[in-house]
Amino acid sequence: MAYLMRGWLANNTKIEQQLTDEKKLYEFTDAFFLQGLIFGRWIQKTGALNRTNGYSIGDMIENPAYVIESILRDWLFVERNRRIDTSSSATKAVLDGTVNGRALTVKIDDYYKYAIWHNHSTGFKTYIAGYDGSTQEVILADADISDAMAAGDWVTITNIQGDNLIDTASFDVVGNTTNGTRDGYQLARYFTERESMRDIIDSICQDFHLFLTKSGMRYRLACLDRKSAVDGVFSNPLKQNGVPLLQVWLSPLDSLYSQYSFKHGVDGRYEMVCSPTGSTYGLGATYEGKCASAEMKYRQVGREYGKIYENIYNGMDSKPTTDTTMHRIAKSTIDFYTQLRAMVEYQGDFKNHIKYEVGDQVKINYPTLIPAGLNDWEYFLIYDKSIEAVNGIPTVRFRLIQI
C-alpha cells in the first residue's frame, strides 16, 4: 500500500523488484521509501460523468476518505495476472484464455468498462472504453503508445465495476476540499510487514472516526461528526402486543475517560496528553475542563484512554500543533468520551425505514419514551441496522447513539 508509506522499512535505499513468469508478483528484497500513490481517473470521473471534489488526476492521495476509496478501487476490485491472447490493433486485445490460459473472469458486455488497464509488458496505462463479453475483447480508450502491445503481454485491471460498487457522493462528503468533514486531514503509515486490506481499512476508520458500510452492493463512508441537518425523523415505532418496540438507556460509565494519551509517529514517538490538571500542545483549559467533568461528575477518576495513531500524519516526524490532524482527532475523541450519551434501539416498518443506513443521523420524536430535551431535538447516529421479522412482518431494527 504505497500511498500509506512515508518511511524506511530498513536501512538500505535500493529497490530490487523480481518478477517471475509463474506468479507475476513483485518481491521487494530491500527496504524502500515512497512518497505515495497519486489519484487516477476515478477521482474526477464516475463513469462518463464528471465528479467534483477539489482533487485532480495526479494529486497525492493523503486524505483518509480517498485512501480507503483507493484501497477498494485499486486493490480489491481487481483482476491480476491476466495475459493477452490476441491483439488486432493498439486499442484492442482479446483475453479469452485460448492461448495463454489467463482469461478475464466475466463474460458480460461492458462489465469492464471504465476499469483501468495496466499493461505491465509495455508499461502502458489507460481506461477501458468497451468490452465484448462474447469474444472477451477489450477496447481501450487510448492506443498503446508503445506500439508493442501483443499476445502474451501481462495485464492487471483495476477499478472493475468501481463506479457501481462505491457511493462516491458519501466519500466526497467526507473528503472534498471545500467543506469535507475530513478536509485537511492527512494519512500516512509506516509498514514493516504485510497486513490485510480489511485490517488496514479498519485501523483508518478507527483513527479518523469513520464508518465504512455496505448498502446493498455499494460501499458508503460516513463519520462520527454531527451533521448540519438530520437525514430524517423516526416517529412511529412498530408495536408488539401494544408495546412500542423502542428502548432507551445510557451509555455505560466505563465508556468515559478523564485522562488521555495520544501518540503518533514511528512507534508513537510523539505524545499529546490531557487531564483535569493539565495538557500539552494547545489543548488547553476547554479540554482540561471536559476531563475534569468526567472525573467529578461521573466519578471516572484516573481512567485513561491511550492509543497510538499509526495512520496520523502531521508532517514528517513533527509534533502535534493546534492545526494538525492529530490535534483535531484528539479534540474529537475527548468530546466523545467525556459525557454519557443516550442509546436507543428502535424498530420501524420496512417501507418507511429501509432507506436509512449506518452512518445516517436522525431525530426521534416519540415523547412518551424519549426524555424531554432529547425528543425531537438531539441527533442520533445509526451505528447498527438489521432486517428482522415481527409477527411475520419484515421490519428494520436500528441501534442509535446520541451524537
Side-chain angles (χ1 to χ4, degrees):
M1 312 307 295
Y3 45 73
L4 299 179
M5 303 185 65
R6 284 181 179 271
W8 290 264
L9 299 185
N11 296 321
N12 297 330
T13 57
K14 177 183 176 183
I15 302 177
E16 183 179 343
Q17 296 177 341
Q18 298 174 339
L19 187 61
T20 64
D21 285 340
E22 179 180 358
K23 294 184 178 179
K24 288 295 170 183
L25 295 176
Y26 288 98
E27 299 291 342
F28 296 97
T29 60
D30 288 310
F32 56 98
F33 171 79
L34 297 172
Q35 177 71 18
L37 285 188
I38 59 176
F39 283 114
R41 179 182 183 274
W42 54 264
I43 196 61
Q44 290 185 302
K45 292 283 188 179
T46 300
L49 302 177
N50 290 331
R51 177 181 179 184
T52 303
N53 45 43
Y55 290 99
S56 302
I57 298 171
D59 289 344
M60 195 69 63
I61 307 176
E62 295 181 310
N63 184 284
Y66 298 123
V67 169
I68 293 174
E69 186 171 351
S70 177
I71 292 173
L72 296 174
R73 291 183 184 268
D74 299 328
W75 297 93
L76 182 60
F77 309 154
V78 173
E79 288 187 25
R80 303 187 187 279
N81 307 327
R82 307 296 96 187
R83 291 191 81 177
I84 296 175
D85 292 296
T86 62
S87 176
S88 60
S89 74
T91 60
K92 294 182 178 180
V94 174
L95 294 86
D96 60 4
T98 56
V99 178
N100 293 305
R102 301 273 184 162
L104 297 178
T105 59
V106 177
K107 297 183 179 181
I108 299 173
D109 286 349
D110 285 338
Y111 181 81
Y112 296 95
K113 190 173 183 178
Y114 300 122
I116 304 302
W117 169 273
H118 308 257
N119 187 324
H120 301 299
S121 300
T122 67
F124 184 69
K125 175 183 175 182
T126 186
Y127 72 93
I128 296 173
Y131 175 65
D132 186 331
S134 62
T135 63
Q136 292 186 272
E137 182 177 62
V138 170
I139 302 171
L140 305 181
D142 304 292
D144 191 326
I145 58 176
S146 71
D147 291 327
M149 185 169 72
D153 285 0
W154 288 93
V155 173
T156 294
I157 300 177
T158 61
N159 193 32
I160 299 170
Q161 289 287 304
D163 297 326
N164 295 323
L165 295 173
I166 288 181
D167 181 347
T168 56
S170 70
F171 281 78
D172 288 341
V173 165
V174 177
N176 84 83
T177 61
T178 301
N179 57 5
T181 53
R182 293 295 178 267
D183 176 37
Y185 287 59
Q186 289 183 289
L187 183 155
R189 174 79 173 270
Y190 293 87
F191 281 96
T192 57
E193 57 187 25
R194 290 180 182 270
E195 292 189 31
S196 71
M197 284 183 284
R198 178 185 292 273
D199 288 343
I200 292 170
I201 291 175
D202 185 59
S203 72
I204 293 170
C205 288
Q206 288 186 43
D207 283 0
F208 291 93
H209 301 172
L210 300 173
F211 297 86
L212 181 67
T213 62
K214 202 169 185 182
S215 174
M217 291 182 58
R218 307 184 81 195
Y219 288 91
R220 231 171 142 254
L221 193 67
C223 68
L224 193 61
D225 305 36
R226 178 176 169 132
K227 294 183 177 180
S228 58
V230 292
D231 298 297
V233 178
F234 288 180
S235 60
N236 189 25
L238 291 174
K239 294 181 179 180
Q240 190 171 37
N241 299 323
V243 179
L245 296 177
L246 191 160
Q247 300 179 56
V248 186
W249 67 96
L250 285 176
S251 56
L253 283 173
D254 62 9
S255 67
L256 303 181
Y257 302 89
S258 62
Q259 297 183 17
Y260 295 83
S261 168
F262 306 97
K263 295 182 178 181
H264 81 287
V266 181
D267 299 323
R269 68 176 61 177
Y270 297 114
E271 182 181 28
M272 176 190 298
V273 299
C274 191
S275 73
T277 58
S279 61
T280 58
Y281 300 116
L283 285 172
T286 297
Y287 290 90
E288 293 166 16
K290 292 175 183 287
C291 292
S293 176
E295 186 167 281
M296 300 301 295
K297 186 176 180 179
Y298 302 117
R299 299 295 188 266
Q300 298 304 297
V301 179
R303 292 201 73 240
E304 182 176 358
Y305 175 99
K307 188 178 189 312
I308 297 177
Y309 289 80
E310 296 179 308
N311 299 293
I312 296 294
Y313 177 64
N314 284 321
M316 184 60 71
D317 292 339
S318 69
K319 297 178 181 179
T321 59
T322 56
D323 61 350
T324 58
T325 301
M326 186 69 261
H327 203 273
R328 299 180 198 181
I329 292 295
K331 290 192 290 186
S332 175
T333 302
I334 295 171
D335 282 336
F336 190 80
Y337 287 116
T338 51
Q339 61 176 311
L340 291 179
R341 298 173 184 275
M343 311 284 289
V344 175
E345 184 171 281
Y346 177 104
Q347 284 188 251
D349 67 89
F350 192 86
K351 177 182 178 181
N352 295 304
H353 294 84
I354 188 62
K355 64 182 179 181
Y356 295 102
E357 299 290 350
V358 171
D360 285 345
Q361 296 180 22
V362 300
K363 292 181 181 179
I364 304 176
N365 185 10
Y366 204 77
T368 55
L369 289 177
I370 301 297
L374 301 181
N375 186 70
D376 200 26
W377 179 256
E378 286 294 336
Y379 287 28
F380 287 84
L381 170 76
I382 298 172
Y383 68 89
D384 187 54
K385 172 187 175 180
S386 59
I387 310 299
E388 301 180 3
V390 175
N391 298 327
I393 300 173
T395 68
V396 189
R397 181 194 297 266
F398 300 99
R399 290 182 178 175
L400 309 97
I401 184 170
Q402 178 189 352
I403 196 70

